[in-house]
């Protein structure tokens, strides 16, 4: 793409390359017009459609593209930036207060450089932005034809950093208690084994075993979160009898002391065949039923019924819906949007706040959906839908 040149002669260095300090200042309204400005990206797209800020300077260091995202991030109108020197349109400084353009010198530095990696820089007023630059040359060691700069806000990165910090704090808190118990009981048993009766020893070892199981579950949750966030959660599909899986979990809860009449299971007779990861299905059901028992009240109702859903290709396919409802106080309306986020806790009755985040990740990995609402009795109602998920050779 042909690049227009500045009508005013720009000062050059010994190699004949213009440098920023010598680019003549332009009037804010003297941005380029004509074919070069029609599509400064050369990609056949409107720069204002890009989600990140885009600033392009020509071979003389004048701004020829300043999209709406860049205007939003810098609080500078495009009309003021176009035609201006890039170091004036973007007076960036590093975190030590040094002028970034003087440090990088894109027009006068080494001709072998191809750009600058993304880093945190400061705009006037101290606003922090993420900036990266690309040096466009006619040939690898030729003069700079265009300088392409991208800008991004730091809010998303800050949220990620806060999330990681919260995760570390939660893990440290959740590990401290069981590890202290394990360490204390094992040290006591090793030091005073002969002084304890068999019943006392058994009680201590059972406590150690329970705390070790708690640690194991926490580590498993952390691994699941890592796989979900990185998109590496594997789903090993095979035929699953969802009604039998529900019954198995209800039996486990009653064996642990829950009253059998607290659970009402209703299963439709015309369920479609379900192909899913049985271990992951157990994880979903276990979490939802445990939450209903721990945080809810009254009867816990589990409905299993056939349904349909729209897949990623926009087609309607058969599926299975499982609804878990309790008769407790329910979830406040203002909290329903945060239920499936990390560290959300419905009450102060323990838990890491990671379970429902993992459940949502597992359901979506199966191509399904999960929602939360208020049940007929006012309690919480969780409903997840899984597609049939049959292999392609069976779907033909």
């Amino acid at each position: 793409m042909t690049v227009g040149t500045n009508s005013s002669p720009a000062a050059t260095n010994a190699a004949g390359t213009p440098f920023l300090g010598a680019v003549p200042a332009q009037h804010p309204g003297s941005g380029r017009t004509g074919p070069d400005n029609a599509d400064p990206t050369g990609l056949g797209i409107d720069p204002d459609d890009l989600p990140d800020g885009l600033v392009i300077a020509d071979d003389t260091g004048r701004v020829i593209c300043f999209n709406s995202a860049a205007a939003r991030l810098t609080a500078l109108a495009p009309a003021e930036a176009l035609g201006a020197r890039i170091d004036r349109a973007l007076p960036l400084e590093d975190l030590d207060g040094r002028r970034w353009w003087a440090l990088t010198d894109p027009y006068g530095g080494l001709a072998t450089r191809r750009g600058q990696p993304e880093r945190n820089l400061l705009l006037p007023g101290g606003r922090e932005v993420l900036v990266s630059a690309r040096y466009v040359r006619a040939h690898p060691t030729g003069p700079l034809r265009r300088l392409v700069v991208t800008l991004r806000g730091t809010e998303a990165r800050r949220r990620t950093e806060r999330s990681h910090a919260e995760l570390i704090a939660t893990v440290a808190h959740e590990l401290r208690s069981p590890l202290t118990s394990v360490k204390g009981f094992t040290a006591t048993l090793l030091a005073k084994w002969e002084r304890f009766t068999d019943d006392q020893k058994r009680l201590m070892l059972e406590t150690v075993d329970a705390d070790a199981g708690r640690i194991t579950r926490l580590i498993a949750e952390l691994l699941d979160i890592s796989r979900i966030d990185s998109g590496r959660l594997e789903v090993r599909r095979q035929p699953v009898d969802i009604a039998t899986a529900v019954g198995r979990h209800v039996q486990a809860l009653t064996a642990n002391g829950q009253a059998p009449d607290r659970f009402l299971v209703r299963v439709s007779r015309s369920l479609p065949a379900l192909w899913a990861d049985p271990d992951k299905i157990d994880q979903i059901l276990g979490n939802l039923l445990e939450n209903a028992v721990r945080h809810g009240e009254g009867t816990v109702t589990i409905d299993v019924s056939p349904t349909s859903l729209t897949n990623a290709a926009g087609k309607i396919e058969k599926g299975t819906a499982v609804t878990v409802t309790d008769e407790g106080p329910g979830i406040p309306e203002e909290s329903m949007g945060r239920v499936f986020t990390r560290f959300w806790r419905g009450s102060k009755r323990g838990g890491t706040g990671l379970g429902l985040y993992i459940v949502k990740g597992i359901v979506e990995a199966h191509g399904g959906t999960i929602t939360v609402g208020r049940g007929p009795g006012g309690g919480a109602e969780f409903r997840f839908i899984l597609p049939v998920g049959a292999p392609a050779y069976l779907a033909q």
Side-chain angles (χ1 to χ4, degrees):
M1 177 166 54
T2 303
V3 180
T5 57
N6 190 354
S7 58
S8 302
T12 60
N13 60 12
T17 305
F19 56 91
L20 287 173
V23 177
Q26 302 292 321
H27 188 275
S30 63
R32 266 184 213 177
T33 58
D36 279 348
N37 253 5
D39 177 22
T41 66
L43 300 175
I45 61 174
D46 185 348
D48 288 340
D49 292 336
L50 299 174
D52 295 336
L54 176 67
V55 181
I56 302 177
D58 63 10
D59 57 335
T60 65
R62 290 189 302 151
V63 176
I64 61 172
C65 176
F66 199 85
N67 73 349
S68 58
R72 174 176 50 81
L73 290 168
T74 61
L76 181 67
E80 298 178 26
L82 290 172
R85 300 185 312 185
I86 193 166
D87 59 335
R88 292 191 176 181
L90 289 177
L92 298 166
E93 295 182 350
D94 65 12
L95 300 184
D96 295 324
R98 297 173 297 182
R99 290 186 297 173
W100 190 61
W101 296 114
L103 292 175
T104 58
D105 193 11
Y107 289 92
L110 292 174
T112 56
R113 296 176 305 164
R114 304 184 64 180
Q116 296 291 333
E118 187 174 72
R119 64 189 63 195
N120 288 40
L121 296 175
L122 299 176
L123 289 166
R127 182 172 184 182
E128 197 169 348
V129 289
L130 298 171
V131 181
S132 60
R134 175 74 173 176
Y135 301 162
V136 181
R137 307 180 189 275
H139 51 86
T141 58
L144 198 64
R145 291 183 63 240
R146 289 202 174 183
L147 174 62
V148 181
V149 180
T150 60
L151 309 173
R152 291 196 298 130
T154 59
E155 293 80 6
R157 178 173 289 188
R158 295 298 184 201
R159 286 195 298 269
T160 301
E161 290 174 351
R162 284 196 298 269
S163 178
H164 289 166
E166 290 173 354
L167 180 60
I168 292 172
T170 299
V171 170
H173 175 76
E174 293 295 328
L175 285 176
R176 184 183 297 115
S177 177
L179 284 176
T180 300
S181 172
V182 170
K183 176 64 176 175
F185 279 120
T186 53
T188 301
L189 286 171
L190 289 172
K192 303 176 181 180
W193 180 265
E194 296 83 2
R195 299 186 184 182
F196 296 106
T197 65
D198 288 345
D199 289 340
Q200 290 173 327
K201 293 174 183 176
R202 182 177 183 83
L203 177 61
M204 290 184 183
L205 290 173
E206 287 176 345
T207 304
V208 168
D209 181 68
D211 286 331
R214 180 177 168 188
I215 294 172
T216 300
R217 286 192 298 273
L218 177 59
I219 293 173
E221 287 183 344
L222 294 176
L223 290 173
D224 285 336
I225 287 177
S226 174
R227 295 186 184 108
I228 290 169
D229 289 346
S230 62
R232 294 185 292 107
L233 185 66
E234 293 185 3
V235 175
R236 304 179 186 276
R237 296 183 185 272
Q238 61 188 70
V240 173
D241 187 337
I242 190 73
T244 300
V246 169
R248 186 170 61 250
H249 281 274
V250 170
Q251 289 178 0
L253 288 169
T254 55
N256 287 332
Q258 295 295 325
D261 58 359
R262 188 179 180 185
F263 300 95
L264 174 61
V265 180
R266 297 184 296 215
V267 180
S268 174
R269 294 183 179 181
S270 56
L271 293 177
L274 175 65
W275 285 70
D277 189 320
D279 293 334
K280 299 291 191 294
I281 297 301
D282 282 339
Q283 198 170 349
I284 295 171
L285 293 173
N287 191 288
L288 295 181
L289 290 175
E290 184 179 343
N291 282 348
V293 169
R294 179 187 296 176
H295 305 292
E297 298 172 1
T299 302
V300 176
T301 304
I302 305 102
D303 285 297
V304 184
S305 59
T307 188
S308 60
L309 72 163
T310 304
N311 60 24
K315 297 181 179 180
I316 304 297
E317 63 177 308
K318 294 180 179 179
T320 300
V322 179
T323 307
V324 179
T325 310
D326 63 65
E327 297 176 344
I331 299 171
E333 291 290 337
E334 62 272 14
S335 298
M336 286 189 179
R338 298 184 288 111
V339 167
F340 298 109
T341 59
R342 291 183 184 179
F343 312 115
W344 184 85
R345 293 181 176 89
S347 69
K348 298 181 179 179
R349 302 180 189 177
T352 61
L354 301 174
L356 290 175
Y357 177 83
I358 294 172
V359 164
K360 182 174 185 288
I362 293 174
V363 170
E364 291 180 347
H366 280 81
T369 60
I370 184 168
T371 57
V372 61
R374 190 170 294 279
E381 178 181 278
F382 288 88
R383 175 182 172 87
F384 68 92
I385 300 175
L386 298 177
V388 170
Y393 70 90
L394 290 179
Q396 294 176 352

